[in-house]
Amino acid sequence: MKTVIHFLQAPVSSGIVNVATSYEVCRKGAHTYEKMIWTGIVSLLLIVAGCQGAPATEESETTEETSEQAEASEANTPSAESDSTETTENEKSATEEDDKDESDQPAQDQEEAEAPMEPLYQINPQNYKIEPLDDAEENVVLLTIDDAPDQYALEMAKTLNSLEAPAIFFVNGHFIDTEEEKAVLKEIHEMGFAIGNHTSSHANLSDLSSEEQRDEIISVNEEIEAITGEKPVFFRAPFGVNTDTSRQIVTEEGMAWMNWSYGYDFVDGYMTKEAIGDIMVNAPELSAGANLLMHDREWTNAALEDIITGLRDKGYSLVDPELIQVNTQ
């Protein structure tokens, strides 16, 4: 009986021991496992915290860097308001400059228009031909019309203007007494023609006193200047008679005197359109530099276009009086 009981007790004790041992092992294992779990949780929390902290740090660094760059940019770059102000000022300055240029342009144009041309020709004091200076064209002639403005001067001026033919109109004072005559002279001048002085009464200067000669010349200069705004620079004595007194007065007035190379419209036999038109183009005196004398006459007016055409057909150019040097005699 005791033997049986002992036999039975042994396994039970062993089982209890084993169970206790197993329990202890399990307890220790559970404790170890629990530690592992907590360790894992802590590690996970640390990892999560690290993951959340890293972007925050990076974002902070990026923000700081951006702020620093913005501050540097603001320090080195003008503000939008400054740019706008500067642009406005530049535009205003440019506009003012443009306005100034535009306002100056008419004055510049007027100065250019009023500036005298450089002389290309001179008057030979011996024969009164037009001679070139330096390399100016030689094959030229000068057209002059005396005793203007009588009856046909304005029509002659219009013909010349339509043909672009320059000329000098030598004016007598007794032809600009009335308002109508003054208006005619002004119109001729405004067409661009040179106005010359042919004395007041067309008297022979050699028959006059020095004082009378002075009045004959000076009075016409003053009248012409009052009408046209310009004082004449060319003088032609009636009948081609110059005196020492007249030359002195002309020089004092800054003018040039001239006679002519040839003229026929006051000569019998040439007082028709056909006759004067032919002789003025085929005269034996016609040559380079010839100074052609014509008058305010009906037949000369009628033949004027043929005369100009004939001269050009022969190869002659018509010299612009503005290109003739004055006051050198």
Side-chain angles (χ1 to χ4, degrees):
M1 186 67 175
K2 290 183 180 180
T3 302
V4 174
I5 292 171
H6 177 77
F7 174 76
L8 291 172
Q9 287 179 338
V12 171
S13 300
S14 177
I16 293 172
V17 171
N18 288 338
V19 171
T21 302
S22 297
Y23 171 78
E24 183 66 23
V25 170
C26 290
R27 188 180 65 80
K28 291 181 179 180
H31 180 71
T32 300
Y33 183 68
E34 182 180 0
K35 288 176 63 178
M36 291 175 62
I37 289 174
W38 281 110
T39 300
I41 291 172
V42 172
S43 298
L44 182 61
L45 291 174
L46 290 175
I47 291 172
V48 171
C51 291
Q52 292 177 344
T57 303
E58 182 178 351
E59 180 178 354
S60 175
E61 292 175 353
T62 303
T63 302
E64 291 177 0
E65 181 179 353
T66 303
S67 176
E68 291 175 357
Q69 291 176 350
E71 291 176 358
S73 176
E74 290 177 358
N76 297 325
T77 305
S79 65
E81 182 179 354
S82 175
D83 286 346
S84 176
T85 302
E86 183 176 352
T87 301
T88 303
E89 290 297 326
N90 290 338
E91 291 175 351
K92 180 179 179 182
S93 177
T95 301
E96 291 176 351
E97 191 67 27
D98 290 341
D99 292 341
K100 180 181 178 182
D101 292 342
E102 290 177 1
S103 64
D104 289 345
Q105 191 61 41
Q108 293 173 0
D109 292 342
Q110 184 176 2
E111 289 177 1
E112 291 176 1
E114 294 176 353
M117 296 183 181
E118 193 71 23
L120 299 178
Y121 298 91
Q122 64 183 359
I123 302 170
N124 186 314
Q126 304 302 320
N127 57 21
Y128 306 105
K129 295 182 74 172
I130 307 304
E131 298 178 340
L133 297 170
D134 300 326
D135 298 328
E137 182 183 355
E138 295 182 3
N139 212 34
V140 299
V141 295
L142 175 65
L143 301 181
T144 66
I145 299 171
D146 285 13
D147 300 346
D150 195 358
Q151 299 181 55
Y152 304 98
L154 182 56
E155 189 174 340
M156 295 174 80
K158 290 179 179 179
T159 299
L160 292 166
N161 191 48
S162 68
L163 297 171
E164 298 183 350
I168 303 174
F169 283 80
F170 281 101
V171 171
N172 294 119
H174 62 254
F175 286 133
I176 52 175
D177 290 334
T178 69
E179 292 302 317
E180 291 78 11
E181 291 171 336
K182 292 177 181 179
V184 169
L185 178 60
K186 184 175 182 180
E187 187 173 351
I188 293 172
H189 175 263
E190 288 176 348
M191 279 190 266
F193 293 102
I195 306 300
N197 185 329
H198 199 35
T199 75
S200 179
S201 66
H202 204 277
N204 188 321
L205 294 177
S206 64
D207 295 335
L208 304 178
S209 67
S210 296
E211 190 60 33
E212 289 172 330
Q213 292 182 58
R214 180 174 293 278
D215 182 65
E216 282 280 338
I217 298 171
I218 299 298
S219 64
V220 174
N221 271 2
E222 291 175 349
E223 290 177 33
I224 291 175
E225 185 174 13
I227 296 168
T228 68
E230 293 184 15
K231 188 173 73 173
V233 295
F234 297 110
F235 173 78
R236 174 171 283 166
F239 314 106
V241 179
N242 293 283
T243 67
D244 291 341
T245 300
S246 69
R247 291 189 184 94
Q248 178 181 346
I249 296 169
V250 167
T251 301
E252 291 173 356
E253 289 291 296
M255 305 166 72
W257 69 84
M258 67 171 73
N259 284 353
W260 55 87
S261 300
Y262 68 91
Y264 287 89
D265 63 358
F266 55 95
V267 179
D268 289 340
Y270 296 101
M271 297 182 184
T272 64
K273 173 186 176 181
E274 294 74 21
I276 193 62
D278 178 71
I279 191 63
M280 292 303 291
V281 175
N282 298 303
E285 302 93 340
L286 176 60
S287 61
N291 192 329
L292 278 59
L293 168 65
M294 295 178 284
H295 292 80
D296 182 337
R297 301 288 187 271
E298 180 183 358
W299 45 91
T300 309
N301 175 42
L304 189 55
E305 183 172 350
D306 293 339
I307 293 171
I308 295 169
T309 301
L311 292 169
R312 285 172 169 168
D313 287 345
K314 285 198 166 186
Y316 292 102
S317 297
L318 307 178
V319 67
D320 186 342
E322 290 192 16
L323 299 177
I324 300 175
Q325 195 173 55
V326 300
N327 198 22
T328 59
Q329 297 163 308

